[in-house]
Amino acid sequence: QVQLVESGGGVVQPGRSLRLSCAASGFTFSSYSMHWVRQAPGKGLEWVALISYDGTNKYFADSVKGRFTISRDNSKSTLYLQMNSLRADDTAVFYCARDPSRFGDYGYADYWGQGTLVTVSS
Amino acid sequence: DIQMTQSPSSLSASVGDRVTITCRASQDISSYLNWYQQRPGRAPKLLIYTASTLQSGVDSRFSGSGSGTDFTLAISSLQPEDFATYYCQQTDSFPLTFGGGTKVEIK
C-alpha cells in the first residue's frame, strides 16, 4: 500500500536551515508529482510546493519562494524540502503528499504522510 | 492568487443530519475544486476531486457540486466519524490555495 513517511522536523532557530525528507513506498515514485503542504498549530492547510515526476517543473507558494527548495531522488524514492532563512511563522506540521499526475496538472493530493513538526524558535 | 472562502467556519449537527458546506472562489476556476476531510491529529484525506468526482473508497454519502466560483460539499446523513474539519482547494492555477476550513461538531 502507498506509504509516505516524513522526517527531519525539529526545533530550529530563526534564520537557520532545515531539510525535510519524505520516504515513499508502495507505488512507482518516479511516475508521480509530489507536494509539500503545511499546517500551523491550530490553523488551516497551506500548500507549499510541488515538483513534477522528473524534477523539471517546480512551483512554490509566495510565502516560501526564494527560501524553500523542493527536490527529489527517484533512485531513493525520496522527496525533499530544503528550508532556509526560517522564520517563526514557518512553524507548522509539514506533510508530503502524492499528486496522481506526472506534472502536477491535477493538483490534488490523493495520499498523505503523517507529517513532521517544524518549530522555529529561539 | 485565487482566494477560497468557506462557509460556515463551523457548524453543529446531529448524527443523521444532512450537512452542506460551501466554498467560493475569488475568480472562475471551472471545476478545479477538491474537498478534503481532516480528523483531529490526522493527515487530510481526499474526498472529492474536480468538484464532483468521489475519490475511490469514499462513502457515497459525500457528494460535491458546483462550477465556476461556487461549490458545495454535502453529507447526506452525518455519521459519527464525519465530525471533522473540511477544506476546499482550488487547482485551477498556481499557487494552489485552500479554503479556511469548516469544522463540523456534534450538537
Side-chain angles (χ1 to χ4, degrees), chain A residues 33-38 44-52 57-65 70 95-101 103-110 112, chain B residues 1-6 23 25-27 29 31-36 46 49-50 87-100:
Chain A
S33 53
M34 297 293 295
H35 299 268
W36 286 101
V37 177
R38 69 183 179 181
L45 301 173
E46 180 186 18
W47 175 80
V48 173
L50 175 135
I51 186 168
S52 60
N57 296 332
K58 302 175 184 180
Y59 304 90
F60 297 92
D62 294 342
S63 58
V64 307
K65 202 173 293 183
I70 189 171
Y95 296 99
C96 70
R98 190 185 82 166
D99 186 298
S101 67
F103 291 100
D105 43 313
Y106 289 0
Y108 55 86
D110 61 354
W112 297 65
Chain B
D1 299 2
I2 298 174
Q3 309 303 315
M4 306 302 295
T5 304
Q6 285 183 236
C23 179
S26 60
Q27 64 189 69
I29 59 169
S31 295
Y32 297 111
L33 189 285
N34 315 298
W35 291 98
Y36 299 87
L46 178 66
Y49 59 93
T50 56
Y87 295 93
C88 62
Q89 178 208 27
Q90 69 82 17
T91 47
D92 176 74
S93 61
F94 290 100
L96 309 180
T97 46
F98 288 91

Side-chain angles (χ1 to χ4, degrees), chain A residues 2 4 24-35 50-57 70-74 77-79 97-106 108-111:
Chain A
V2 172
L4 299 168
S25 61
F27 66 103
T28 305
F29 179 73
S30 59
S31 295
Y32 293 85
S33 53
M34 297 293 295
H35 299 268
L50 175 135
I51 186 168
S52 60
Y53 76 107
D54 58 358
T56 56
N57 296 332
I70 189 171
S71 61
R72 64 192 298 158
D73 186 338
N74 286 343
S77 296
T78 302
L79 174 72
R98 190 185 82 166
D99 186 298
S101 67
R102 287 183 169 242
F103 291 100
D105 43 313
Y106 289 0
Y108 55 86
D110 61 354
Y111 289 94

Side-chain angles (χ1 to χ4, degrees), chain B residues 4-105:
Chain B
M4 306 302 295
T5 304
Q6 285 183 236
S7 60
S9 57
S10 65
L11 65 90
S12 296
S14 301
V15 173
D17 285 352
R18 175 178 174 82
V19 167
T20 59
I21 297 168
T22 63
C23 179
R24 175 164 288 176
S26 60
Q27 64 189 69
D28 188 337
I29 59 169
S30 185
S31 295
Y32 297 111
L33 189 285
N34 315 298
W35 291 98
Y36 299 87
Q37 176 195 65
Q38 187 178 33
R39 297 185 179 117
R42 304 286 297 274
K45 173 186 174 182
L46 178 66
L47 296 177
I48 288 168
Y49 59 93
T50 56
S52 61
T53 304
L54 200 65
Q55 170 69 352
S56 175
V58 174
D59 194 276
S60 59
R61 65 180 180 273
F62 292 95
S63 63
S65 62
S67 66
T69 60
D70 294 311
F71 302 87
T72 300
L73 172 70
I75 310 173
S76 61
S77 177
L78 204 62
Q79 297 303 298
E81 62 268 29
D82 300 338
F83 292 95
T85 301
Y86 295 83
Y87 295 93
C88 62
Q89 178 208 27
Q90 69 82 17
T91 47
D92 176 74
S93 61
F94 290 100
L96 309 180
T97 46
F98 288 91
T102 296
K103 186 174 183 179
V104 176
E105 299 174 301

